[in-house]
Amino acid sequence: MRSETAPAIRLEDYKPPLYRIDKVALNVELTPNATRVTATLQVKRQPDTAAGASLVLDGDELSLAGIRLNGKTLDETAYTATAERLELLSPPAEPFELTLVTELDPDANTKLMGLYRSSGTYCTQCEAEGFRRITYFLDRPDILAVYTTRLEASKAECPVLLANGNLAEAGDIEGTDRHYAIWHDPHPKPAYLFALVAGDLAEVPDRFMTMSGKDVALNIYVEHGKEGLCDWAMDSLKRSMRWDEEVFGREYDLDVFNIVAVSDFNMGAMENKGLNIFNDKYVLADPETATDQDYANIEAVIAHEYFHNWTGNRITCRDWFQLCLKEGLTVFRDQEFSSDMRSRPAKRIADVRLLKSHQFPEDAGPLAHPVRPRTYHEINNFYTATVYEKGAEVVRMLQTLLGKQAFRKGLDLYFERHDGEATTIEAFLACFEEASSTDLEQFSLWYEQAGTPVVSVETEYDPDRKTFSVSLSQEIPPLAGQKSSKPAVIPLRFGLVGPNGEDMETGPVEGAKVNGDVLVLDKAHQDVVFQNVAAAPVLSLLRGFSAPVRLNQPLHSKDLLFLAAQDRDPFNRWQAVQTLAMQDLVRLAGLVREGADGVPSEDVIGVLASVLDETQLDEALRAQALTLPSEADIAQEIGKDVNPDAIHAAREILRRAVATRLGPSLLPFISGNSAGGSYSPDAQAAGKRALANRCLHYYAASGADDAADLVWSRFTSADNMTDRLAALTLLVHDHMPREDEALAAYRKRHTDSSLAMDKWFMTQAMAPGDQTLERVKALMSDPSYDAGNPNRVRSLLQSFATGNPTQFARADGAGFELVAESVLEIDKRNPQVASRLLTSFRSWRALDPQRSALAESALLRVSACENLSRDSRDIVDRTLQ
Ligand SMILES: [Zn+2]
């Protein structure tokens, strides 16, 4: 039988549930292969539901081992049960108690959804629809229940027993080698926030005093021997808790907050109420095994999951179409937190880079969807950059349009009005409308329309009238399934930069609403005129990336050079450098493709080289400015008939030219900014290392006689992972003489750290050069490779498919074939990891005809597979559409 596409679920079909489940008591008797779950549900008919209407519960690969209604075993004629569904044919009209017994095999659960075991530890993942793999349930986020969970397990196997909420009771079971614990969570929550953990774990304890003086026990649970790797995560947690009190007035609400780190996890982390479960990659860190980026990611993810306690848990989503309600808002909150902890402009640049490299291609290709989708076949495939990152940009625009004060007022109203509810985007926006007396109907289009708006700009200065005219227009290019679109509300932060580099004061503005430095574009076309403009300005537009749009502003290169040197907005200064580099890279790629010699523009070399001396910019910013647009970004800019080899060559040409210009002047930055004294992960020290390593990256391409030796000595003498990995990456990606020796030395040193070994796999998977494909194949049979571990699969195959454009899109199609084959293999055990890997094909139509034909045939091969999972079927169908 051919795998079927799951039926489409549509937002417009939402109906409130016929029954409610107010209380859930779970008794979970844990054994590796035959765990018994007894769920006792207090069920209530909704007032509008006809008495006797059947109750349909969701299941997924379940088998029913017992069913009782109000304590009495049910006759077989009273219900039907399959693996996917339990139907109670005529339930009592009055509230009743339904008891269900299911038996699970956690060891055999390779999908890592529901209850499974990772390195001997039982854990759960229930978002989005994993709870139905534990027991039959109304598994939808608008069913909020109070959970009491009793866990029982062997004392030797599982000394630690954890669930949501507060610990109510624990003890031994007499006459056996087993013990139990009862956890009670007083906050009603949807099933996707349910969690349990049981295993032999070490506990790292701490405490936090909330703003109202409540003493909260904090614990991080990790594998024994890894206690020393939790300091940064714990520190990040305490800073997150304090920050959420200070900035948003949100206080923690249970006696205990537990975090558990597990090594096999499909996602980054999960915000289960009071019991966050983390991919260990976002908890464990020390200077020996974690880079500065890892430290920053841990800080951000710990904060993100903690912030969900209010935005997601206390107030949750009515249905899965509202996913952005919790994710977009919470990503915005974690971005703000990290900006307060670090260099705000550098953080903004990093976020925008991520948005442009992940979300923009998604929004332009076959997988495009609105921030709030209207239809889905498999919700697991909507944990996307659009829902998360673009969702956060929409919240940020709301703040920009309303101003910080009114935004905070709206958010306070949201917390006050909807606490304890499962709600919608409409209800969220209504709070801001009310708090600010602003009509947000047109703004809500950001949630409804897919695609990235293109904003086109033309300007003209009239020296006689002293007017500056700005002609603005917006358009979303047509997409499959969205032929036309309506004009959105686009906040454009701007400055008119005068000849001396200062922002100019102007007289009245006609043709658009302007609030301070924000101009609002809300029509398809607007002509805006600034009066009393003393001299011809350069328009610095979209400062701070105030809206997720593509800007089509044909600035003359002399104006871009001026902004690159003068703009007082650090983001737009960076953007001007990027734009100059991008224009030249596109031109160079075209030349390379024609077989001509590409010579970079002197101006571009000059502007990049001059970044080093901009000492008024912090090191993190200078490192960002010296980072050329990625190969994927250049491909997007080119848009069609893409040849990844030409792009790679163009980027190397520009890198070498800048390196040659800078030459020995790079050396003081390399040595001067290297870690002095003991390692600290703080933003300033990390910025120094980032700049040093960026300079080393150029020096390696400078042709200097001592470059190879310098990189090697950096590799061998580094006292932290950031510097060691930067040097290793150069040795491997530039195919320097001691490449193999470096890989062997790294492996020997880090063989016991799976997180450090992930970087070893990743570095090799992303190496340019034709030999990489064979190397990746060989690594798949390496004893350290584990096809069941999502982090390891991502470090090798996802890195290859998304981080190595020349080799994934090889002209002979072998890269596509390898990934397609791997998808088919992985899909059998873990559909979520497989479907995620499959999304790396999303831009296949933009490739040159030869490559796109090869990509299509690889996709067709996946599509032809019988028994493909729902997850992968959905992605392959949409990608080929
Ligand atoms: Zn989240």
Side-chain angles (χ1 to χ4, degrees):
M1 195 187 81
R2 201 184 140 89
S3 61
E4 297 162 53
T5 303
I9 315 269
R10 287 175 222 288
L11 172 59
E12 67 207 41
D13 296 340
Y14 172 84
K15 287 199 185 67
L18 296 178
Y19 289 85
R20 306 211 58 86
I21 300 173
D22 295 331
K23 278 188 194 158
V24 177
L26 291 169
N27 184 28
V28 185
E29 297 157 85
L30 292 159
T31 60
N33 300 110
T35 288
R36 199 174 166 84
V37 178
T38 307
T40 304
L41 317 175
Q42 304 300 329
V43 188
K44 231 185 223 166
R45 181 172 58 97
Q46 294 277 56
D48 293 345
T49 305
S54 70
L55 167 66
V56 179
L57 302 181
D58 307 298
D60 182 5
E61 298 184 343
L62 285 181
S63 67
L64 186 67
I67 177 166
R68 293 191 293 277
L69 195 132
N70 290 331
K72 277 204 192 128
T73 297
L74 262 187
D75 189 84
E76 274 183 23
T77 57
Y79 67 92
T80 62
T82 67
E84 270 76 46
R85 194 168 187 273
L86 174 69
E87 183 171 359
L88 208 55
L89 297 170
S90 67
E94 295 310 307
F96 59 96
E97 182 183 282
L98 182 65
T99 305
L100 304 168
V101 183
T102 48
E103 260 168 24
L104 313 174
D105 185 348
D107 254 2
N109 183 357
T110 60
K111 292 185 178 174
L112 313 186
M113 280 294 277
L115 174 67
Y116 64 97
R117 288 219 305 164
S118 161
S119 312
T121 298
Y122 297 91
C123 65
T124 53
Q125 170 60 35
C126 291
E127 187 175 2
E129 297 176 337
F131 192 70
R132 63 182 65 181
R133 295 171 60 76
I134 297 172
T135 188
Y136 294 98
F137 200 71
L138 282 175
D139 191 2
R140 43 187 289 170
D142 57 355
I143 293 291
L144 306 180
V146 170
Y147 285 69
T148 304
T149 307
R150 181 182 179 278
L151 301 172
E152 183 192 312
S154 143
K155 271 194 273 185
E157 194 196 359
C158 301
V160 173
L161 300 173
L162 305 170
N164 311 93
N166 298 319
L167 181 66
E169 195 186 317
D172 291 344
I173 299 170
E174 269 179 55
T176 72
D177 62 350
R178 293 169 74 81
H179 68 154
Y180 74 95
I182 300 174
W183 290 81
H184 177 72
D185 180 4
H187 299 276
K189 64 168 176 289
Y192 81 86
L193 291 172
F194 169 80
L196 71 81
V197 170
D200 185 4
L201 297 165
E203 179 186 354
V204 178
D206 208 325
R207 306 206 75 84
F208 179 81
M209 187 72 78
T210 70
M211 62 183 178
S212 72
K214 190 177 154 87
D215 189 18
V216 180
L218 311 176
N219 297 294
I220 299 181
Y221 291 90
V222 287
E223 280 173 26
H224 289 284
K226 294 186 173 166
E227 297 91 323
L229 302 175
C230 300
D231 295 353
W232 179 251
M234 185 63 89
D235 184 58
S236 301
L237 175 61
K238 289 191 284 187
R239 282 185 284 121
S240 309
M241 294 175 89
R242 187 64 70 215
W243 185 89
D244 211 18
E245 292 181 345
E246 289 171 359
V247 176
F248 287 110
R250 298 297 108 200
E251 187 175 4
Y252 188 62
D253 52 12
L254 287 166
D255 303 338
V256 54
F257 187 82
N258 287 323
I259 288 176
V260 180
V262 300
S263 50
D264 300 302
F265 205 68
N266 281 346
M267 310 196 174
M270 179 63 213
E271 70 263 22
N272 318 298
K273 183 77 186 187
L275 177 57
N276 287 3
I277 300 181
F278 270 64
N279 187 324
D280 59 5
K281 162 187 172 110
Y282 295 116
V283 173
L284 306 177
D286 68 357
E288 172 65 10
T289 56
T291 60
D292 291 328
Q293 188 60 53
D294 292 328
Y295 276 93
N297 290 345
I298 290 168
E299 183 179 76
V301 178
I302 291 268
H304 179 94
E305 305 307 332
Y306 173 72
F307 296 157
H308 267 316
N309 191 52
W310 275 95
T311 49
N313 300 5
R314 296 277 296 236
I315 307 180
T316 192
C317 308
R318 186 193 70 175
D319 52 71
W320 287 120
F321 296 102
Q322 322 293 332
L323 183 57
C324 59
L325 179 71
K326 74 177 180 83
E327 294 306 341
L329 178 55
T330 306
V331 170
F332 168 76
R333 274 150 54 68
D334 84 54
Q335 289 177 346
E336 283 300 292
F337 169 72
S338 293
S339 300
D340 282 349
M341 299 294 127
R342 292 164 179 270
S343 156
R344 182 168 277 269
K347 169 67 180 159
R348 185 66 188 141
I349 290 167
D351 289 341
V352 172
R353 269 191 199 277
L354 186 80
L355 184 84
K356 286 186 171 178
S357 62
H358 287 81
Q359 200 276 326
F360 276 25
E362 184 170 273
D363 229 355
L367 301 181
H369 56 272
V371 170
R372 180 173 66 180
R374 277 182 298 273
T375 174
Y376 64 78
H377 292 273
E378 175 50 68
I379 187 60
N380 289 333
N381 290 333
F382 281 87
Y383 288 74
T384 59
T386 297
V387 169
Y388 278 65
E389 269 74 38
K390 189 175 178 184
E393 292 302 320
V394 175
V395 175
R396 184 174 299 282
M397 284 190 287
L398 195 57
Q399 180 181 257
T400 305
L401 286 164
L402 302 183
K404 278 196 170 162
Q405 241 185 334
F407 176 79
R408 172 70 200 268
K409 239 174 96 184
L411 204 53
D412 284 349
L413 182 59
Y414 175 67
F415 289 130
E416 189 188 310
R417 183 177 287 172
H418 296 290
D419 188 12
E421 291 180 5
T423 191
T424 60
I425 288 297
E426 282 75 11
F428 173 71
L429 289 179
C431 295
F432 293 92
E433 289 195 311
E434 209 172 304
S436 67
S437 309
T438 307
D439 181 348
L440 294 174
E441 193 185 329
Q442 191 188 355
F443 181 80
S444 72
L445 288 172
W446 280 108
Y447 289 101
E448 310 295 334
Q449 299 186 147
T452 307
V454 177
V455 173
S456 300
V457 193
E458 278 172 52
T459 62
E460 200 185 334
Y461 180 66
D462 184 334
D464 299 328
R465 293 194 173 139
K466 302 273 183 247
T467 57
F468 183 60
S469 308
V470 182
S471 162
L472 294 162
S473 58
Q474 59 164 310
E475 186 194 18
I476 298 178
L479 293 161
Q482 183 180 289
K483 298 280 172 274
S484 65
S485 59
K486 293 180 190 156
V489 182
I490 301 178
L492 296 167
R493 212 177 273 285
F494 74 100
L496 304 187
V497 186
N500 62 356
E502 296 291 320
D503 282 2
M504 299 168 81
E505 298 287 331
T506 76
V509 188
E510 290 157 19
K513 202 173 96 188
V514 175
N515 275 334
D517 62 349
V518 178
L519 184 158
V520 182
L521 172 62
D522 55 7
K523 298 187 181 66
H525 183 93
Q526 265 165 273
D527 287 312
V528 185
V529 180
F530 292 84
Q531 308 282 356
N532 308 338
V533 182
V538 178
L539 175 62
S540 169
L541 199 61
L542 201 64
R543 281 181 165 175
F545 205 70
S546 57
V549 300
R550 287 176 193 275
L551 194 58
N552 174 20
Q553 183 185 13
L555 279 176
H556 195 277
S557 64
K558 90 172 171 6
D559 291 337
L560 279 169
L561 288 165
F562 173 73
L563 290 179
Q566 301 283 354
D567 201 323
R568 68 166 185 86
D569 180 64
F571 181 90
N572 266 18
R573 249 181 111 165
W574 167 81
Q575 184 60 60
V577 177
Q578 287 287 300
T579 304
L580 283 162
M582 180 65 92
Q583 288 172 352
D584 211 38
L585 287 163
V586 170
R587 182 185 64 83
L588 288 169
L591 288 172
V592 170
R593 201 154 172 199
E594 286 161 18
D597 278 345
V599 180
S601 140
E602 280 300 312
D603 282 345
V604 173
I605 299 171
V607 79
L608 285 161
S610 68
V611 167
L612 266 191
D613 298 325
E614 303 278 357
T615 44
Q616 79 279 26
L617 301 178
D618 66 39
E619 283 91 351
L621 263 179
R622 277 184 277 164
Q624 288 277 23
L626 275 166
T627 304
L628 298 178
S630 72
E631 290 172 38
D633 291 351
I634 303 165
Q636 249 190 90
E637 184 70 21
I638 294 173
K640 55 175 191 280
D641 195 21
V642 166
N643 179 318
D645 292 328
I647 291 172
H648 177 76
R651 202 167 175 273
E652 283 302 303
I653 289 170
L654 182 55
R655 175 187 170 203
R656 275 199 303 276
V658 175
T660 310
R661 172 73 58 89
L662 287 168
S665 68
L666 290 159
L667 291 170
F669 291 92
I670 297 170
S671 54
N673 281 319
S674 65
S678 67
Y679 175 90
S680 159
D682 70 85
Q684 212 190 354
K688 282 185 191 300
R689 281 186 290 271
L691 185 58
N693 288 322
R694 189 49 38 191
C695 289
L696 187 67
H697 167 85
Y698 279 106
Y699 196 70
S702 69
D705 292 340
D706 61 347
D709 287 340
L710 186 65
V711 177
W712 177 257
S713 92
R714 188 81 167 179
F715 173 70
T716 53
S717 66
D719 67 353
N720 63 81
M721 179 54 97
T722 305
D723 291 341
R724 186 177 310 122
L725 185 64
L728 178 74
T729 304
L730 280 174
L731 286 157
V732 175
H733 289 193
D734 285 1
H735 301 297
M736 297 178 106
R738 299 169 89 171
E739 170 184 0
D740 292 332
E741 195 183 338
L743 284 166
Y746 182 101
R747 178 179 200 148
K748 190 159 175 245
R749 180 171 187 141
H750 294 295
T751 194
D752 293 332
S753 163
S754 73
L755 294 177
M757 283 304 289
D758 283 340
K759 303 178 195 345
W760 184 82
F761 280 96
M762 187 172 80
T763 304
Q764 296 179 77
M766 291 170 69
D770 286 344
Q771 63 277 52
T772 294
L773 185 85
E774 288 311 315
R775 193 186 251 174
V776 170
K777 284 185 183 168
L779 287 170
M780 289 170 75
S781 337
D782 188 280
S784 302
Y785 186 71
D786 174 2
N789 176 256
N791 285 357
R792 190 54 46 93
V793 172
R794 285 188 283 253
S795 68
L796 185 63
L797 293 168
Q798 191 92 32
S799 302
F800 175 76
T802 57
N804 196 338
T806 60
Q807 295 313 298
F808 173 56
R810 280 162 62 113
D812 63 2
F816 298 138
E817 284 304 317
L818 174 68
V819 174
E821 256 171 57
S822 305
V823 165
L824 290 172
E825 204 45 50
I826 297 162
D827 193 56
K828 292 178 203 156
R829 70 169 30 238
N830 191 330
Q832 282 189 37
V833 172
S835 68
R836 189 51 69 106
L837 180 57
L838 197 50
T839 63
S840 53
F841 282 94
R842 66 188 172 197
S843 301
W844 68 277
R845 279 183 215 272
L847 293 166
D848 62 34
Q850 183 190 347
R851 286 180 168 86
S852 60
L854 291 164
E856 185 175 22
S857 76
L859 282 166
L860 288 169
R861 210 179 121 198
V862 174
S863 178
C865 168
E866 299 182 356
N867 306 323
L868 205 59
S869 69
R870 278 165 57 153
D871 306 62
S872 295
R873 170 63 55 204
D874 175 37
I875 295 289
V876 78
D877 282 355
R878 284 155 62 204
T879 308
L880 281 166
Q881 217 169 54

